[in-house]
């Protein structure tokens, strides 16, 4: 009996972060079911629409965060990619071929930026956050310049990139999330890629001395992240059909919050999990949705979000020498 | 003196509207409605005054209001906010931002609810997607904070304020002024207003004994990219005696004037009012502020009444086929007398007891509350807030 108790206590101690993350998700789902009332189905589809781009980008971010790194340029990249999708496809007459060309161009840029982010940080011996800061400023300028060229604050895509039927669109989003989740899970859990990124997060020097080419895997991690940013930007564009000077603002912070809410340790390492991206994203979006449907005062919503965030950070941060990623 | 009349008309308009209530009987009990209102920021003079005004109407109009905030930059975030409000059961949404409007309207259409604008010219939609937005039966129109870009007169009003100041201070008139605006891509009406102001001054100078010099707009320092005025502004305009800030000067110009130590020497004529201006306004304190301007929160009756008509299955006989954008007159405060009235206004106090319209006045503007009510009457009620 005593042994059983100790076993449970020991399991709980080892999984306190997971329990906290899943408990958060369960609570937000219960509130969602209660307060959605007769709009449950509608609300479920809207939650899924909001979740989709965050989930896809957060899934890619798992590779970067598992190394204990982060990328603050995500928001600006999303903005520029969304604008490029529109400009290129509109230039090609709003055709499906135009959208395909735009996607290839954006994907190439995203891969190049990922490679830059990973490689330059290693070669110059800089914390990766510094190179992502550079990219953030670069993309901020690019976003403004691209929009200045259009003479508008916001532009719309001419091509049809979203099914007219709401159910079909919902299915499309579910498939997109599922495909990315399966691929990321496979690479993160069952290949060297995931093992090495986690090893870098746990102890980079030890990983290096074990023969892991840390530079190569860092670059790959950022490139994988870039791919999901390109896909996420496209999924976001299917929702709104438009983009502008401020599209993507705050995305980097949102992705970080999603991962932390999902139990991703800021310091990365062996306890990093793909599920953090999905659990955290759903919790984050449902939390905002619940507070609105519950009729919580506007100012209170921001306050509550801040309180919940800081509590989760304090619970999940296990890094001895600080709280921020490298 | 002229502008004092303008602002006093606010009280008169309310009194006139109230007097008409007594002779018109309410035809039907309004249906219970829930309306979402999304502001461009959480708090501030305009949101606070609008909330207070709306809450004062809630019982009489049988409406529950739910509030949210739109971002000024992110289409997806605004769409999410709209979806959350729809999920919470609103019958209509009043928004203050033209960002992602087409996707928002698609969502409103699918949910069978209405959408309308407030304090926003919806210029992007107006110029690039007019049929999709203004031709959409779920979009009911918008009321602009001041004049729409194709209907600007704020430049004339700045000129009037300057001349009135010079008449009051004939011994030390302002003869050299400079300007500040937000970028044309964001607020095209401001650049138009600046051009209008320059044209008015040029016309005035033809016969004036003491001509006025206006420094032309300098792209580098006079166009504020939503950041405070740069301190180099004063070296670029070394002779300026007053800044005509078509951009929100209280937040973006005044702090730089104070930190540069020129607030006692240079006057500020501006749009916007954030509170606290009275301390250094007109003949008080440092006398920096010589004009502030604001839009009456009562102008929200335009989208509100149109939305309530739809929810109550009623319509004005003279309702236009397509949605419209309606300009409003800004309240111009440019004398000590105006300031006394401003201090006690709904905008400054967020006290609905100071509003131009009572709940009964607003009910009287609706088609279900007053069978004789007209669209023209509603537009007039919004546009006569100051005149």
């Amino acid at each position: 009996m005593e042994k059983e108790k100790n076993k449970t206590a020991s399991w709980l101690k080892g999984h306190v972060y997971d329990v906290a993350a899943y408990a958060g998700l369960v609570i937000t789902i219960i509130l969602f079911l209660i307060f959605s009332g007769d709009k449950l189905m509608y609300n479920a589809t809207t939650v899924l629409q909001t979740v989709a781009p965050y989930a896809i980008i957060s899934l890619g971010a798992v590779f970067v965060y598992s190394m204990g790194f982060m990328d603050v340029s995500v928001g600006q990249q999303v903005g520029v990619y969304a604008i490029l999708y529109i400009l290129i496809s509109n230039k090609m007459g709003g055709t499906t071929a135009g959208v395909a060309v735009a996607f290839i161009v954006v994907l190439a840029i995203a891969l190049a930026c990922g490679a830059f982010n990973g490689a330059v940080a290693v070669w110059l011996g800089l914390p990766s956050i510094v190179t992502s800061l550079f990219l953030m400023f670069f993309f901020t300028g690019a976003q403004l310049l691209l929009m200045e060229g259009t003479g508008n604050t916001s532009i719309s895509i001419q091509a049809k990139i979203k099914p007219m039927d709401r159910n079909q669109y919902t299915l499309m989003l579910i498939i997109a999330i599922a495909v990315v989740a399966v691929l990321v899970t496979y690479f993160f859990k069952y290949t060297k890629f995931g093992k090495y990124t986690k090893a870098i997060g746990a102890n980079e020097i030890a990983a290096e001395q074990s023969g892991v080419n840390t530079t190569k895997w860092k670059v790959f991690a950022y490139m994988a992240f870039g791919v999901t940013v390109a896909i996420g930007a496209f999924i976001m564009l299917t929702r709104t059909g438009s983009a502008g000077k401020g599209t993507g603002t705050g995305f980097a912070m949102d992705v970080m919050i999603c991962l932390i809410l999902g139990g991703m340790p800021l310091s990365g390492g062996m306890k990093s999990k793909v599920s953090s991206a999905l659990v955290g994203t759903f919790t984050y979006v449902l939390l905002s949705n619940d507070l609105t449907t519950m009729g919580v005062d506007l100012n209170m919503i921001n306050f509550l979000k801040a309180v919940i965030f800081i509590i989760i950070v304090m619970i999940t941060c296990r890094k001895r020498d600080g709280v921020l990623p490298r | 003196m002229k502008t004092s009349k303008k602002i006093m008309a606010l009280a008169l308009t309310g009194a006139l509207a109230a007097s008409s209530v007594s002779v018109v009987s309410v035809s039907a009990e309004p249906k219970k409605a829930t309306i979402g209102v999304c502001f461009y920021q959480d708090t501030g003079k305009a949101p606070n005054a609008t909330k207070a005004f709306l809450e004062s109407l809630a019982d009489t109009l049988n409406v529950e209001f739910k509030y949210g905030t739109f971002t000024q930059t992110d289409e997806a975030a605004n769409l999410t906010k709209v979806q959350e409000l729809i999920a919470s059961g609103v019958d209509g949404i009043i928004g203050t931002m033209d960002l992602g409007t087409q996707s928002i309207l698609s969502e409103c259409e699918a949910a069978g609810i209405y959408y309308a604008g407030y304090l926003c010219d919806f210029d992007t939609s107006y110029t690039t997607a007019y049929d999709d937005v203004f031709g959409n039966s779920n979009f009911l129109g918008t009321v602009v904070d001041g004049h729409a870009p194709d209907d600007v007169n704020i430049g004339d009003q700045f000129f009037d304020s300057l001349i009135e100041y010079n008449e009051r201070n004939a011994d030390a008139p302002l003869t050299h002024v400079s300007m500040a605006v937000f970028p044309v891509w964001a607020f095209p009406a401001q650049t138009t207003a600046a051009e209008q102001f320059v044209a008015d001054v040029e016309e005035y100078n033809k016969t004036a004994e003491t001509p006025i010099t206006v420094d032309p707009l300098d792209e580098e320092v006079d166009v504020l990219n939503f950041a405070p005025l740069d301190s180099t502004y004063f070296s670029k305009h070394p002779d300026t005696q007053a800044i005509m800030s078509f951009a929100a000067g209280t937040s973006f110009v005044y702090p730089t004037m104070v930190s540069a130590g020129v607030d006692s020497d240079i006057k500020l004529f501006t749009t916007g009012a954030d509170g606290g201006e009275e301390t250094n306004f007109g003949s008080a304190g440092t006398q920096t502020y010589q004009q502030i301007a604001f839009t009456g929160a009562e102008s929200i009756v335009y989208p509100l009444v149109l939305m309530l008509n739809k929810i109550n299955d009623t319509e004005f006989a003279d309702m236009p086929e397509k949605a419209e954008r309606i300009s409003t007159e800004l309240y111009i405060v440019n004398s000590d007398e105006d300031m006394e009235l401003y201090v006690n206004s709904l905008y400054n106090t967020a006290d609905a007891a100071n509003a131009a319209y009572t709940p009964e006045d607003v009910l009287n503007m609706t088609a279900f509350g007053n069978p004789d009510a007209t669209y023209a009457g509603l537009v007039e009620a919004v546009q006569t807030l100051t005149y």
Side-chain angles (χ1 to χ4, degrees):
Chain A
M1 190 68 170
E2 190 64 28
K3 243 184 183 178
E4 197 65 24
K5 243 183 176 176
N6 286 343
K7 211 174 161 186
T8 311
S10 154
W11 183 89
L12 268 176
K13 203 177 168 189
H15 293 82
V16 63
Y17 314 111
D18 300 335
V19 171
Y22 279 97
L25 178 62
V26 169
I27 290 168
T28 52
I29 289 174
I30 291 170
L31 291 174
F32 176 77
L33 292 172
I34 294 171
F35 289 98
S36 290
D38 58 351
K39 300 260 186 185
L40 183 63
M41 277 318 290
Y42 172 82
N43 207 10
T45 58
T46 63
V47 164
L48 201 73
Q49 285 181 24
T50 313
V51 158
Y54 284 123
I56 288 167
I57 294 173
S58 297
L59 280 165
V62 166
F63 290 109
V64 172
Y65 276 74
S66 67
M67 299 188 297
F69 297 162
M70 69 187 302
D71 185 343
V72 294
S73 68
V74 184
Q76 284 67 28
Q77 286 193 49
V78 167
V80 169
Y81 297 163
I83 293 166
L84 285 176
Y85 283 132
I86 296 171
L87 290 178
I88 296 171
S89 65
N90 284 1
K91 192 90 182 161
M92 295 183 68
T95 57
T96 309
V99 176
V101 170
F103 190 80
I104 291 165
V105 171
V106 168
L107 199 60
I109 296 171
L111 285 168
C113 287
F116 174 85
N117 229 342
V120 172
V122 174
W123 290 332
L124 298 180
L126 294 169
S128 66
I129 195 169
V130 175
T131 48
S132 76
L133 264 175
F134 164 77
L135 282 179
M136 185 184 86
F137 291 126
F138 174 80
F139 277 103
T140 302
Q143 190 167 6
L144 287 174
L145 281 174
L146 285 170
M147 287 309 296
E148 291 284 340
T150 68
N152 284 310
T153 50
S154 181
I155 48 171
S156 300
I157 192 160
Q158 291 164 4
K160 189 171 164 286
I161 54 169
K162 170 186 173 184
M164 289 302 283
D165 183 83
R166 197 178 178 89
N167 293 332
Q168 280 180 17
Y169 182 51
T170 303
L171 186 66
M172 182 188 114
L173 296 177
I174 292 171
I175 291 170
I177 296 171
V179 168
V180 175
V182 166
L183 286 172
V184 169
T185 305
Y186 172 73
F187 283 108
F188 195 72
K189 222 172 165 184
Y190 302 107
T191 69
K192 285 190 285 189
F193 190 11
K195 284 176 190 150
Y196 289 165
T197 54
K198 278 188 279 188
I200 291 169
N203 190 328
E204 190 174 347
I205 297 168
E208 218 166 59
Q209 288 178 346
S210 305
V212 176
N213 182 345
T214 53
T215 305
K216 178 175 129 184
W217 295 109
K218 279 179 189 173
V219 170
F220 280 1
Y222 273 100
M223 288 173 79
F225 185 30
V227 172
T228 60
V229 173
I231 297 170
F234 182 76
I235 293 292
M236 196 196 68
L237 186 61
T238 62
R239 273 192 83 201
T240 60
S242 59
K245 291 188 173 177
T247 302
T249 306
F251 236 89
M253 196 52 71
D254 290 339
V255 166
M256 188 170 86
I257 293 170
C258 287
L259 287 168
I260 292 170
L261 282 176
M264 170 70 79
L266 277 171
S267 50
M270 303 314 284
K271 296 218 168 177
S272 308
K273 291 176 301 295
V274 175
S275 60
S276 303
L278 294 175
V279 171
T281 306
F282 274 98
T283 307
Y284 180 60
V285 173
L286 282 170
L287 178 66
S288 175
N289 187 288
D290 291 346
L291 293 172
T292 304
T293 50
M294 285 162 71
V296 175
D297 183 72
L298 196 64
N299 300 323
M300 213 57 193
I301 288 179
N302 292 332
F303 176 71
L304 282 172
K305 276 184 179 174
V307 169
I308 291 166
F309 178 67
I310 198 72
I311 289 171
I312 302 278
V313 168
M314 292 179 82
I315 291 174
T316 58
C317 180
R318 295 188 289 266
K319 198 164 185 273
R320 281 184 193 166
D321 53 349
V323 295
L324 285 172
R326 288 164 286 175
Chain B
M1 188 61 111
K2 185 179 153 199
T3 47
S4 295
K5 282 177 189 166
K6 283 182 208 167
I7 199 162
M8 282 211 279
L10 160 66
L12 285 173
T13 310
L16 286 171
S19 68
S20 65
V21 172
S22 58
V23 294
V24 179
S25 61
V26 171
S27 64
E29 185 70 21
K31 279 186 191 172
K32 174 75 188 162
T34 306
I35 292 179
V37 184
C38 287
F39 297 105
Y40 52 88
Q41 58 187 33
D42 297 350
T43 56
K45 288 281 179 194
N48 293 347
T50 308
K51 279 184 202 171
F53 180 58
L54 289 176
E55 290 306 324
S56 76
L57 307 176
D59 288 343
T60 306
L61 299 175
N62 204 12
V63 184
E64 181 194 350
F65 294 101
K66 292 189 174 184
Y67 302 101
T69 311
F70 274 165
T71 76
Q72 301 185 38
T73 52
D74 190 346
E75 295 89 347
N78 291 351
L79 179 59
T80 299
K81 185 49 69 184
V82 164
Q83 289 176 327
E84 287 174 355
L85 283 169
I86 291 172
S88 74
V90 299
D91 302 296
I93 296 171
I94 297 172
T96 55
M97 201 65 63
D98 183 22
L99 200 63
T101 304
Q102 284 163 276
S103 59
I104 285 173
L105 278 175
S106 299
E107 204 62 31
C108 291
E109 229 173 331
I113 70 156
Y114 301 100
Y115 189 69
Y118 166 59
L119 300 185
C120 179
D121 58 20
F122 280 71
D123 202 51
T124 302
S125 295
Y126 198 86
T127 51
T128 65
Y130 180 81
D131 286 336
D132 287 349
V133 174
F134 283 79
N136 187 312
S137 58
N138 289 72
F139 184 70
L140 305 179
T142 184
V143 60
V144 184
D145 51 340
H147 280 230
D150 49 3
D151 184 27
V152 175
N153 79 344
I154 188 69
D156 296 336
Q157 291 175 333
F158 268 71
F159 173 73
D160 289 346
S161 287
L162 176 61
I163 297 304
E164 283 176 35
Y165 175 91
N166 281 352
E167 284 171 1
R168 282 198 305 271
N169 299 275
D171 50 333
L174 299 170
T175 56
H176 197 125
V177 301
S178 53
M179 300 181 287
V181 293
F182 281 138
V184 69
W185 58 261
F187 291 97
Q190 291 188 2
T191 301
T192 309
E195 289 162 2
Q196 197 173 55
F197 173 76
V198 171
D200 287 345
V201 170
E202 283 172 357
E203 189 60 33
Y204 168 83
N205 284 346
K206 285 178 185 170
T207 54
E209 280 179 25
T210 317
I212 299 167
T213 304
V214 185
D215 288 347
L217 273 178
D218 181 321
E219 278 292 322
E220 205 179 313
V221 293
D222 299 1
V223 180
L224 312 179
N225 277 301
F226 302 101
L229 188 78
D230 196 89
S231 56
T232 55
Y233 183 93
F234 305 109
S235 52
K236 287 260 185 182
H237 302 288
D239 301 320
T240 190
Q241 296 170 316
I243 301 172
M244 303 285 142
S245 178
F246 299 98
T250 303
S251 303
F252 291 89
V253 176
Y254 182 70
T256 309
M257 292 175 72
V258 173
S259 59
V262 299
D263 53 318
S264 300
D265 308 321
I266 298 176
K267 308 297 178 197
L268 177 61
F269 294 72
T270 183
T271 58
D274 290 349
E277 294 89 353
E278 64 273 17
T279 319
N280 296 306
F281 186 92
S283 58
T286 57
Q287 305 179 4
T288 313
Y289 288 106
Q290 292 301 325
Q291 180 201 286
I292 57 172
F294 63 99
T295 306
E298 297 92 335
S299 61
I300 199 169
V301 297
Y302 178 77
L304 178 64
V305 165
L306 294 179
M307 199 166 277
L308 289 176
N309 279 352
K310 290 279 186 191
I311 293 166
N312 283 277
D313 304 316
T314 53
E315 198 67 279
F316 292 125
D318 59 343
M319 189 69 193
E321 218 168 278
K322 278 192 174 181
E324 295 187 334
R325 61 173 178 183
I326 302 298
S327 296
T328 52
E329 289 299 341
L330 287 166
Y331 289 114
I332 302 292
V333 181
N334 65 4
S335 68
D336 291 342
E337 295 78 30
D338 288 348
M339 180 48 80
E340 273 177 44
L341 292 163
Y342 164 74
V343 166
N344 297 314
S345 68
L346 165 68
Y347 187 88
N348 188 50
T349 60
D351 181 355
N354 297 324
Y357 297 122
T358 65
E360 288 71 27
D361 296 337
V362 180
L363 181 61
N364 219 10
M365 293 175 198
T366 65
F368 56 90
N370 174 10
D372 298 328
T374 60
Y375 177 77
L378 176 64
V379 173
E380 194 186 345
V382 172
Q383 295 187 329
T384 54
L385 272 168
T386 50
Y387 283 103

